[in-house]
Amino acid sequence: MKMFEYMGKELFGQYGLPIPRGKMVTTPEAAAAAAREIGGSVVVKSQVLSGKRGKSGGIKFADNPEEAKATAGELLGLTIQGLRVEALLVEEKLKIDKELYISLAIDGAAKQPVLIASAQGGMEIEEVSEEHLVKTHIDPELGMQDFIAREVVRRMGVPRTSPHHQELVKLIKTLYKIFTEKDAELVEINPLVFSGDRVIAADAKVTVDEEALYRQPGLLQVTERTSAEEAAHALGLSFVELDGDIGVMANGAGITMATLDTLAFYGGKAANFLDAGGGTGEEGTAKALELILSRNPKSIFINIFGGITRCDDVARAFASVKKKRGIPVPVVVRLVGTNQEQGRAILREVGIEAYDFMQDAAQKAVELARS
Amino acid sequence: MAIIVDEHTNVVVQGISGKQGLFHTRQMLEYGTRIVAGTSASKAGSILEGVPVYESVGAACERHRIDASVIFIPAAGAKDAALEALEAGVKVVAVITEHVPVHDEMAIVAYAERRGATLIGPNTFGIVSSGKSKLGIPPNRFFVPGPVGVVARSGTLSYEIVGNLTAAGIGQSTVVGMGGDRVVGLTFVDVLRKFEEDPLTEAVVLIGEIGGNAEEEAAEYIKGMKKPVVAYLAGKSAPPGKRMGHAGAIIERGKGTYEGKVQALTAAGVKVASVPWEVTELLRQKGRASSGGREGRFSSGLSAQRERA
C-alpha cells in the first residue's frame, strides 16, 4: 500500500526524522492560510501516488499567501499520470545546499532488506550511475547496527568531521526502525537535503505491505484499486481490470495468467484478471461472476482446475447466478479436478457442457467473442 | 530416495485441527505421507485421523523422530510456527499459509538458513515426491512416479502441467512449489541443483512467471546443467504495473518481463513452451535428443495423449 507524501512525512515526524514545516490542504483558501502560518516562500506539492510530479508540473513555488492560493487553485483538480490531484502539501521552501538519496527496500533475490544511498539525489535513482550508489544488504537478524549506518555514511562520501555526519547516522537508524516497525516494503527519501547544518527529508515515499495492515492499526488506508477491484479485494478475490472483451475467471494466480496468455495465443483478449483463489466457495464464486459481468464482456471463460476448489461448488454458484440474474453472454467452462462429475452434472442442467482441456475451451471463448 | 522428502520422512502437521489442516492431513495420509504427529493448541492430547496431537512441535519431538513439518497455521501465527519447528531442529519446513507479511518471511528465511534447514514457501502448494510422500495441498491423483522433476512458483498451474504430463504417461520424481511470494525459502537454483544430483530425475520442468528475477538466476545455473530443462512462464500477456495475484508477479520499470526471461532461459539451452500444453511435447523432443535420436524415455505412454486434430 503506497502512502501519500504527506502521510509518509507525518510518519517520519512521529519518529523524530527531520521534515520541512508544512501542512496538507484541500482548498486554495487553506493553502493561503498554511502559507501565512509557515511564513516566507513556500512550495506547493500535489499529492498523488506517482513519481515525476515535478516534471509533470505538479510542484510549484509561491512567495506569499496570495500566490499560494492561486497556485493551489491551479493544481487542485489537475491530472498527473492519470491521477487526479485532490490534496496538496504546503511546505516551507528549503534552502538546498545539496541533494542526496536514501532508501530501504526488500530484495526478493537476496531475501533481505537492501539499503541504497547516494550523494547524488534529486533525480530518478535509476539514472544515477553505479559507482555513485552505496548498496548494502541488512541481515534482518542483525538489524541496523551503528557500524552499518556509519559505514554507509562514509561510503556516501560524508566525512566524520562534517556537521551532517551524526545526523545522517541517526537518520539511517531511524529509517530502518520505521521500515521494520511499520512493515514497509519501501521507504525512500529523494531528495534528502543538506540545508545549512540541517539534514531534512524533503520527500517521503512509503509503501506498506498489504499483508501486514492488520497489525498496523494506526495507518490510514490508501487504495490504488478501482472500486470494482476494491470490492473483489474485500472478498478475497484478486481482480484486475484489463481492456479486452473476454471475461475470465480461474483459480490460482499462475493459471489465471496462463489463461490470459492462452486467450492471447488464439487471438483473443481478456477483459479482466480474476483469480478466485484456492478455496473460494459458492458465495465467492457468485460474486466473482458478477464482477466479470460488470466489465460487459462478449464472452466468458471459466477455467477451473479443482484442487482445494471443488468443481461442484463452482458449478452450483454458476447455475444459481444464471438462474437468478441471467447471463447475457455466452459462457465457456473448463472444469476438471475435485468433484468434477458432480460439477458437470449441475452445469448440464443449465445447458452447459464443460470442456476437458483449457486450449479447446479458450479457442471457443475467443470464437464466441468475435461472433 | 527422492529429493527433500521420501517414503521414510516423518512428518508433523502444525495446525492439524483447523479446517484446512484436517482436510489435507486426510489427503496426505491417503497419498502415503508418514504423518507421525500433529500440533494444535485446542486439540492437544487427542487423536485426529489416527494421528496423535501435541501442544507444540517440541512436545511432538519428545515422542517421535520428526524430519519435516507442514504448516497450516493462519498468517498471523505462521512466523511463530515456522520458527518453532526450526528451533525444535526440524530440517524440512513447508509453510502452506498464504498472506504472510514479508518481514515475517524474511525472518523465517534467515533463521532457516542459520539452522541449516530447508524452507519451502511460504504461500506454496508444498512438495510431492511422487508415490512416496506429499507435504501440502496438491490433488493426489495427478502425481504419479516417473523421471521428470518439476519446480514451480504457482500451484494450480503446476497441477495443470503435471496433469498433462501424467495424461501423457510421463510421471514425476518430485514436484516442488517454491511459493508465489517475493521472499521464499527454496529457490529455483536450490531445487535445480538437487534435481541435477538426483538419480531419479532425468529431466526438469521449470514453471515460472513474470516479475522478479528468479528465472534469470535459474538460467545462469542451468547453463552448467547436464540434464535437459523445459520451461513454461505465465504472464506473457500481462500489462506492466499490474500485480497479477502473486506478490511477485508484477512488471515494474521494465524489470521481470516475459521477454527478458525467455531470452535468458533460451540462451541457457532451455526450451520455453509458449502455452502450458506444449511442455509435454518439448519434453518428449528433449528426451529423444538426449537419447541420441532413439525413442527417448519420455515417448512412452503417449497413446494416452489425446490426438489433436
Side-chain angles (χ1 to χ4, degrees):
Chain A
M1 181 193 79
K2 287 182 190 162
M3 289 170 76
F4 289 104
E5 177 195 4
Y6 76 89
M7 296 164 75
K9 280 184 170 161
E10 203 176 291
L11 188 62
F12 286 2
Q14 286 165 14
Y15 278 82
L17 277 189
I19 48 171
R21 283 180 300 131
K23 197 167 186 187
M24 189 274 279
V25 299
T26 54
T27 63
E29 290 72 28
R36 200 167 296 122
E37 199 184 315
I38 293 163
S41 296
V42 293
V43 56
V44 185
K45 304 176 85 178
S46 302
Q47 299 297 292
V48 286
L49 300 173
S50 148
K52 297 177 185 149
R53 286 177 301 168
K55 280 180 195 157
S56 313
I59 298 176
K60 293 199 161 148
F61 296 97
D63 288 330
N64 55 57
E66 281 314 302
E67 258 187 62
K69 184 177 173 181
T71 304
E74 287 165 35
L75 292 178
L76 285 168
L78 208 70
T79 301
I80 297 175
Q81 315 255 326
L83 302 163
R84 218 178 120 83
V85 180
E86 286 168 353
L88 303 168
L89 181 60
V90 182
E91 281 185 340
E92 62 174 312
K93 188 180 172 189
L94 297 169
K95 178 178 88 65
I96 296 175
D97 301 328
K98 187 176 172 56
E99 293 186 316
L100 304 93
Y101 173 94
I102 191 145
S103 72
L104 278 157
I106 286 162
D107 183 343
K111 309 171 190 180
Q112 289 182 336
V114 58
L115 182 149
I116 298 174
S118 176
Q120 301 193 353
M123 54 175 135
E124 292 270 316
I125 194 64
E126 283 81 5
E127 291 165 16
V128 177
S129 61
E130 200 67 29
E131 74 258 31
H132 296 300
L133 291 180
V134 178
K135 229 181 226 186
T136 311
H137 285 99
I138 312 296
D139 181 338
E141 292 198 343
L142 206 56
M144 182 60 75
Q145 299 291 322
D146 273 24
F147 77 89
I148 301 172
R150 284 200 308 268
E151 185 62 5
V152 168
V153 176
R154 183 188 68 80
R155 288 171 60 199
M156 286 172 83
V158 179
R160 275 194 181 235
T161 50
S162 156
H164 304 118
H165 187 278
Q166 272 310 314
E167 282 296 303
L168 270 176
V169 170
K170 209 171 112 190
L171 180 133
I172 289 169
K173 289 180 67 184
T174 308
L175 204 61
Y176 188 77
K177 196 168 150 75
I178 296 170
F179 181 70
T180 50
E181 288 186 358
K182 293 298 167 190
D183 278 301
E185 293 176 348
L186 171 76
V187 288
E188 183 181 67
I189 306 174
N190 189 22
L192 177 70
V193 305
F194 287 174
S195 179
D197 281 357
R198 295 198 294 163
V199 176
I200 304 170
D203 194 11
K205 201 182 265 180
V206 179
T207 308
V208 176
D209 180 8
E210 300 228 348
E211 309 291 17
L213 286 177
Y214 73 91
R215 62 185 184 198
Q216 296 296 347
L219 296 181
L220 281 174
Q221 308 267 321
V222 180
T223 183
E224 284 183 88
R225 288 183 275 264
T226 65
S227 57
E229 288 172 0
E230 190 58 37
H233 181 74
L235 289 162
L237 307 168
S238 176
F239 179 70
V240 180
E241 295 178 354
L242 302 169
D243 53 10
D245 54 12
I246 303 171
V248 171
M249 169 176 156
N251 60 328
I255 202 168
T256 309
M257 274 190 275
T259 303
L260 307 191
D261 296 346
T262 301
L263 289 173
F265 179 80
Y266 288 116
K269 212 162 176 213
N272 68 279
F273 169 101
L274 195 155
D275 168 13
T280 309
E282 193 177 327
E283 198 187 340
T285 307
K287 204 71 209 170
L289 279 166
E290 280 175 29
L291 280 170
I292 291 168
L293 285 169
S294 73
R295 304 288 299 148
N296 298 316
K298 287 190 186 150
S299 70
I300 294 175
F301 179 21
I302 301 175
N303 185 14
I304 302 296
F305 198 112
I308 303 185
T309 305
R310 296 190 194 144
C311 291
D312 53 332
D313 279 349
V314 178
R316 208 168 292 120
F318 177 79
S320 122
V321 174
K322 191 161 194 257
K323 276 181 207 153
K324 275 183 203 149
R325 62 165 285 178
I327 294 179
V329 294
V331 181
V332 180
V333 184
R334 185 271 184 125
L335 197 64
V336 294
T338 311
N339 295 353
Q340 128 183 358
E341 291 317 319
Q342 294 96 306
R344 288 179 177 215
I346 294 166
L347 286 182
R348 228 167 271 133
E349 284 170 27
V350 291
I352 297 220
E353 198 59 47
Y355 284 79
D356 287 325
F357 294 88
M358 73 184 267
Q359 52 266 49
D360 300 337
Q363 223 168 338
K364 185 72 185 172
V366 172
E367 203 178 285
L368 288 168
R370 282 202 185 127
S371 60
Chain B
M1 274 298 287
I3 72 164
I4 306 172
V5 294
D6 62 22
E7 66 272 36
H8 306 297
T9 305
N10 281 357
V11 178
V12 61
V13 178
Q14 286 177 261
I16 194 170
S17 64
K19 189 179 164 214
Q20 297 292 351
L22 198 57
F23 176 79
H24 289 291
T25 295
R26 210 173 293 137
Q27 297 291 314
M28 287 187 283
L29 286 167
E30 255 174 46
Y31 196 75
T33 307
R34 284 176 61 127
I35 300 177
V36 298
T39 69
S40 161
S42 58
K43 296 280 162 49
S46 65
I47 306 274
L48 291 174
E49 301 295 326
V51 177
V53 182
Y54 300 89
E55 207 177 308
S56 66
V57 179
C61 285
E62 285 171 8
R63 297 292 193 85
H64 310 271
R65 187 197 85 224
I66 307 279
D67 305 308
S69 163
V70 55
I71 296 178
F72 290 96
I73 304 279
K79 172 182 158 187
D80 190 55
L83 296 181
E84 180 191 351
L86 293 165
E87 177 64 22
V90 179
K91 289 298 174 203
V92 174
V93 175
V95 184
I96 309 303
T97 314
E98 54 179 357
H99 304 305
V100 178
V102 68
H103 282 270
D104 290 1
E105 296 180 317
M106 289 191 292
I108 301 169
V109 167
Y111 194 57
E113 269 174 26
R114 210 172 104 194
R115 300 290 300 199
T118 299
L119 175 72
I120 306 170
N123 191 15
T124 171
F125 62 82
I127 177 170
V128 188
S129 282
S130 291
K132 298 185 169 76
S133 185
K134 177 182 93 166
L135 273 67
I137 60 176
N140 290 347
R141 61 193 172 112
F142 299 103
F143 293 76
V144 302
V148 176
V150 179
V151 57
R153 280 216 241 176
S154 59
T156 318
L157 182 57
S158 303
Y159 313 159
E160 171 82 33
I161 288 171
V162 167
N164 284 341
L165 292 179
T166 298
I170 302 173
Q172 309 87 39
S173 52
T174 301
V175 179
V176 185
M178 305 191 317
D181 290 351
R182 228 172 345 157
V183 174
V184 290
L186 274 186
T187 62
F188 278 133
V189 175
D190 297 329
V191 181
L192 289 169
R193 188 174 288 130
K194 288 179 195 290
F195 279 143
E196 180 74 349
E197 290 161 6
D198 175 31
L200 292 180
T201 301
E202 293 174 24
V204 179
V205 174
L206 181 153
I207 305 170
E209 62 193 34
I210 52 160
N213 68 339
E215 290 77 9
E216 287 84 342
E217 286 186 355
E220 273 307 305
Y221 177 76
I222 292 168
K223 282 180 187 164
M225 274 179 75
K226 290 196 182 68
K227 293 177 184 173
V229 179
V230 168
Y232 170 73
L233 306 175
K236 185 181 186 176
S237 60
K242 292 276 188 183
R243 185 170 283 190
M244 292 296 175
H246 283 156
I250 180 169
I251 301 167
E252 281 176 305
R253 293 172 170 166
K255 285 181 187 158
T257 63
Y258 179 83
E259 291 74 22
K261 288 174 191 296
V262 170
Q263 213 166 39
L265 287 166
T266 307
V270 177
K271 288 276 182 212
V272 182
S274 56
V275 280
W277 60 92
E278 211 181 61
V279 168
T280 312
E281 179 53 33
L282 291 178
L283 208 49
R284 277 167 51 212
Q285 286 171 13
K286 282 273 190 181
R288 272 199 294 277
S290 65
S291 59
R294 289 174 287 114
E295 276 294 279
R297 176 85 190 248
F298 315 125
S299 56
S300 61
L302 284 175
S303 52
Q305 170 85 319
R306 181 183 53 134
E307 282 295 318
R308 297 192 56 76

